[in-house]
Amino acid sequence: MARPKAAFFDFSCCEGCQLQIANFGESLLDILNVIEVVEFREIMSEKYDGALDVAIIEGSINTPHAVERITAIRARSKTLVAIGACATTGGVNGIKNAFPSDEIAGYVYGGNFRDYETIQTMAVHQVVRVDYFVHGCPIYPPEFVAVLKALLMAIPYDVPDYPVCVECKLNGNVCMYDRGVSCLGPVTRAGCNSWCINNDNICYGCRGMVSNPNEKGVIDVIKRYGLSTQIIVNKLEMYNKCRELNPHG
């Protein structure tokens, strides 16, 4: 039986999530036993322009050319997977949306900025239909494997819709707020096994917000620890600015 043809594509991103996959070691060999990777710029030079069973997308969409390209990839792919914060939430590239496009383009390209077409940053699902999401910056390897298994079995993968705090408590971590540090775990969707906090860092919200955050609980936390609401909002926008846009894929 032929293995499903899969290809990796990158848009505006650092390619860190693809590098994460390339560094899977023996686990990558296991993956290659069940899918045929026909394009993956991080590890091979071959290109493929035929029909795909699986397209795996990293990066946000922020140019007219990118819109055309992702639309074409979607049209020739049975299943499309968005991986990493840039693809699933717009990521840090979404910060651009807080400023006039001409101002940002001029800052990057100088006086020739009009030679470089740009549009508001969008997550992939705000342009085309996405079948599976692997959130994070970078992605959490066990979750990528779980999503891959789900798509190969043609079953849904439900991203947890409860906060990172749940996993953090289960892992026995001391709350960052009790340590005098602000953390976005209360409003960020779980699924990473509280990876950052386990390693003595804070949650930066790279997995996107839960659909129904406990706003009262968050406000209580902010008041209890004497934090600035604006600081929390600014931290959220580092990865989640694109949430203000309406998906139209």
Side-chain angles (χ1 to χ4, degrees), residues 21 28 41 59 101 121 145 168 198:
I21 295 167
L28 180 59
R41 194 162 69 90
S101 292
T121 300
V145 173
C168 203
N198 298 347

Side-chain angles (χ1 to χ4, degrees), residues 23-35:
N23 287 333
F24 270 13
E26 290 186 5
S27 297
L28 180 59
L29 297 179
D30 293 336
I31 291 171
L32 296 177
N33 283 331
V34 294
I35 62 174

Side-chain angles (χ1 to χ4, degrees), residues 91-113:
V92 294
N93 299 323
I95 296 173
K96 161 188 171 185
N97 294 355
F99 305 93
S101 292
D102 283 357
E103 179 182 329
I104 291 296
Y107 181 82
V108 175
Y109 298 110
N112 297 322
F113 75 89

Side-chain angles (χ1 to χ4, degrees), residues 55-129:
I56 300 170
I57 311 296
E58 180 181 7
S60 59
I61 311 301
N62 57 15
T63 68
H65 172 69
V67 171
E68 293 175 6
R69 184 170 166 242
I70 191 62
T71 301
I73 291 171
R74 173 72 269 189
R76 63 186 176 102
S77 305
K78 291 180 182 178
T79 302
L80 190 142
V81 185
I83 66 168
C86 292
T88 63
T89 69
V92 294
N93 299 323
I95 296 173
K96 161 188 171 185
N97 294 355
F99 305 93
S101 292
D102 283 357
E103 179 182 329
I104 291 296
Y107 181 82
V108 175
Y109 298 110
N112 297 322
F113 75 89
R114 295 194 185 280
D115 295 335
Y116 302 91
E117 287 189 287
T118 186
I119 57 177
Q120 280 196 311
T121 300
M122 293 178 283
V124 174
H125 72 276
Q126 292 173 316
V127 184
V128 298
R129 178 173 53 86

Side-chain angles (χ1 to χ4, degrees), residues 11-238:
F11 288 79
S12 290
C13 63
C14 69
E15 299 185 21
C17 292
Q18 291 174 88
L19 185 61
Q20 184 87 309
I21 295 167
N23 287 333
F24 270 13
E26 290 186 5
S27 297
L28 180 59
L29 297 179
D30 293 336
I31 291 171
L32 296 177
N33 283 331
V34 294
I35 62 174
E36 179 188 359
V37 177
V38 294
E39 185 171 339
F40 189 172
R41 194 162 69 90
E42 289 283 341
I43 62 174
M44 59 196 291
S45 58
E46 290 80 3
K47 299 293 184 182
Y48 183 81
D49 59 6
L52 291 166
D53 295 295
V54 185
I56 300 170
I57 311 296
E58 180 181 7
S60 59
I61 311 301
N62 57 15
T63 68
H65 172 69
V67 171
E68 293 175 6
R69 184 170 166 242
I70 191 62
T71 301
I73 291 171
R74 173 72 269 189
R76 63 186 176 102
S77 305
K78 291 180 182 178
T79 302
L80 190 142
V81 185
I83 66 168
C86 292
T88 63
T89 69
V92 294
N93 299 323
I95 296 173
K96 161 188 171 185
N97 294 355
F99 305 93
S101 292
D102 283 357
E103 179 182 329
I104 291 296
Y107 181 82
V108 175
Y109 298 110
N112 297 322
F113 75 89
R114 295 194 185 280
D115 295 335
Y116 302 91
E117 287 189 287
T118 186
I119 57 177
Q120 280 196 311
T121 300
M122 293 178 283
V124 174
H125 72 276
Q126 292 173 316
V127 184
V128 298
R129 178 173 53 86
V130 172
D131 301 295
Y132 293 90
F133 294 84
V134 187
H135 295 278
C137 181
I139 57 171
Y140 182 54
E143 185 176 37
F144 176 78
V145 173
V147 169
L148 186 61
K149 288 179 179 178
L151 73 85
L152 290 173
M153 292 187 288
I155 61 175
Y157 175 81
D158 295 321
V159 179
D161 196 18
Y162 49 81
V164 170
C165 291
V166 173
E167 294 175 330
C168 203
K169 287 291 186 184
L170 290 172
N171 285 324
N173 294 315
V174 175
C175 181
M176 284 293 174
Y177 286 97
D178 287 336
R179 296 169 62 178
V181 182
S182 60
C183 176
L184 297 183
V187 294
T188 300
R189 64 164 61 90
C192 59
N193 193 36
S194 65
W195 195 11
C196 291
I197 301 91
N198 298 347
N199 289 282
D200 208 30
N201 205 335
I202 65 169
C203 174
Y204 291 93
C206 70
R207 293 181 57 81
M209 295 178 65
V210 293
S211 61
N212 187 27
N214 181 358
E215 294 181 11
K216 182 180 183 303
V218 173
I219 291 171
D220 287 346
V221 167
I222 290 172
K223 287 181 178 178
R224 187 189 319 155
Y225 291 95
L227 300 171
S228 162
T229 303
Q230 191 58 48
I231 287 176
I232 301 298
V233 170
N234 290 345
K235 284 190 172 185
L236 274 172
E237 290 193 347
M238 184 168 76

